[in-house]
Amino acid sequence: MAGCAARAPPGSEARLSLATFLLGASVLALPLLTRAGLQGRTGLALYVAGLNALLLLLYRPPRYQIAIRACFLGFVFGCGMLLSFSQSSWSHFGWYMCSLALFHYSEYLVTAVNNPKSLSLDSFLLNHSLEYTVAALSSWIEFTLENIFWPELKQITWLSTTGLLMVVFGECLRKAAMFTAGSNFNHVVQNEKSETHTLVTSGVYAWFRHPSYVGWFYWSIGTQVMLCNPVCGVGYALTVWRFFRDRTEEEEISLIHFFGEEYLEYKRRVPTGLPFINGVKVEL
């Protein structure tokens, strides 16, 4: 697992990532350069080269590794904003780019603020899994092909707006879960109980046993509704449902081991929040 500097001052990774994310998002100013005489592609190439040179001058590993990832996500967010306000059939893809960039960046930022002991470069979730990467690429390919051959399919604004609302709901719920859990939240299922590990049952955990999974579930499906991707929409729904079914069972085995009857009582009282997923079965 790739890690950040162990001796870094508290909060320094959060401040560094925020500053470089905003630096990347400054691509929003690119239209001003094009109006000043630079061609679009030339201006973009110069901008990217200048950003990387600046980061190389300012930071050394491992801080550069944090900076380049946060800056890249800021750049994607900025490009997404520009695309969102363009008068083209790609405007809804701009919504998607903004949503994707904010999701991955906020995963790192919230972890840096909330549970810095578990922070690493992996907290960006950019290298989540091969399956995650293939799924993302598939959705981009589907959107591109359908936008070429059936452009009217990508102009269903009410459907894209519904997807955007699902994404916002899922993102807010997941981040609320991370903040509520505090240092108990970890991107990796824990097999050993730490001294500070407590069972969180308040806030959004009073609504769902797995609010962070519920949030991610609806966020991921919402991205495909936003893109009006019928094939990936169905594929994502089936894939993430199966993933979170297995993930909740794996996690609940550990939680029952950690907290015993306390967790079993909580499990009886509060649903998982995921459709048709009840968690691990317990023999009575």
Side-chain angles (χ1 to χ4, degrees):
M1 209 171 179
C4 299
R7 302 292 181 181
S12 64
E13 291 94 345
R15 291 190 294 272
L16 167 63
S17 69
L18 181 58
T20 50
F21 179 86
L22 293 175
L23 179 64
S26 66
V27 71
L28 285 165
L30 192 60
L32 298 177
L33 296 177
T34 57
R35 282 198 289 268
L38 278 176
Q39 293 184 354
R41 292 182 180 179
T42 303
L44 185 62
L46 290 174
Y47 174 84
V48 171
L51 273 185
N52 191 49
L54 180 61
L55 294 178
L56 285 169
L57 285 172
L58 292 177
Y59 305 110
R60 293 290 180 269
R63 291 175 67 79
Y64 172 78
Q65 302 302 326
I66 300 170
I68 194 66
R69 286 164 173 78
C71 188
F72 167 73
L73 291 171
F75 176 79
V76 172
F77 175 82
C79 290
M81 287 291 289
L82 292 174
L83 202 54
S84 297
F85 290 101
S86 67
Q87 301 299 317
S88 75
S89 59
W90 286 84
S91 59
H92 293 158
F93 195 83
W95 298 7
Y96 168 82
M97 291 173 66
C98 292
S99 303
L100 190 67
L102 277 178
F103 172 80
H104 284 283
Y105 173 66
S106 61
E107 288 290 307
Y108 183 89
L109 180 64
V110 173
T111 303
V113 172
N114 216 34
N115 189 14
K117 289 184 178 179
S118 70
L119 185 68
S120 76
L121 292 177
D122 289 339
S123 300
F124 283 108
L125 298 185
L126 291 171
N127 57 340
H128 180 270
S129 65
L130 176 61
E131 292 80 5
Y132 183 84
T133 302
V134 170
L137 290 172
S138 298
S139 72
W140 305 347
I141 293 170
E142 179 181 353
F143 183 91
T144 302
L145 292 176
E146 290 172 353
N147 195 34
I148 292 172
F149 295 105
W150 303 284
E152 65 280 358
L153 181 63
K154 302 306 177 183
Q155 300 304 309
I156 310 175
T157 302
W158 69 265
L159 186 60
S160 291
T161 302
T162 300
L164 178 62
L165 292 175
M166 291 174 66
V167 164
V168 171
F169 167 76
E171 177 78 0
C172 291
L173 179 60
R174 180 168 171 83
K175 295 312 181 287
M178 293 175 71
F179 276 117
T180 302
S183 61
N184 294 288
F185 185 90
N186 199 298
H187 284 117
V188 180
V189 174
Q190 302 298 291
N191 296 315
E192 295 183 7
K193 182 183 178 183
S194 67
E195 294 180 359
T196 59
H197 199 171
T198 58
L199 179 62
V200 180
T201 60
S202 60
V204 291
Y205 286 87
W207 307 342
F208 312 122
R209 293 204 306 274
H210 301 280
S212 68
Y213 295 164
V214 176
W216 201 350
F217 178 82
Y218 286 107
W219 178 90
S220 61
I221 297 174
T223 60
Q224 299 312 298
V225 176
M226 183 195 303
L227 293 175
C228 300
N229 277 353
V231 177
C232 282
V234 174
Y236 268 53
L238 294 174
T239 302
V240 297
W241 184 88
R242 182 175 180 179
F243 172 81
F244 285 121
R245 180 199 62 185
D246 297 342
R247 182 76 172 235
T248 54
E249 290 182 359
E250 178 188 359
E251 184 169 308
E252 289 192 344
I253 290 172
S254 295
L255 290 170
I256 292 170
H257 177 69
F258 294 165
F259 301 108
E261 185 58 34
E262 183 184 6
Y263 186 79
L264 291 174
E265 194 279 328
Y266 172 62
K267 175 177 165 64
R268 286 190 289 267
R269 190 177 72 251
V270 179
T272 64
L274 294 159
F276 309 108
I277 296 177
N278 297 317
V280 69
K281 295 181 179 179
V282 179
E283 297 293 335
L284 299 178

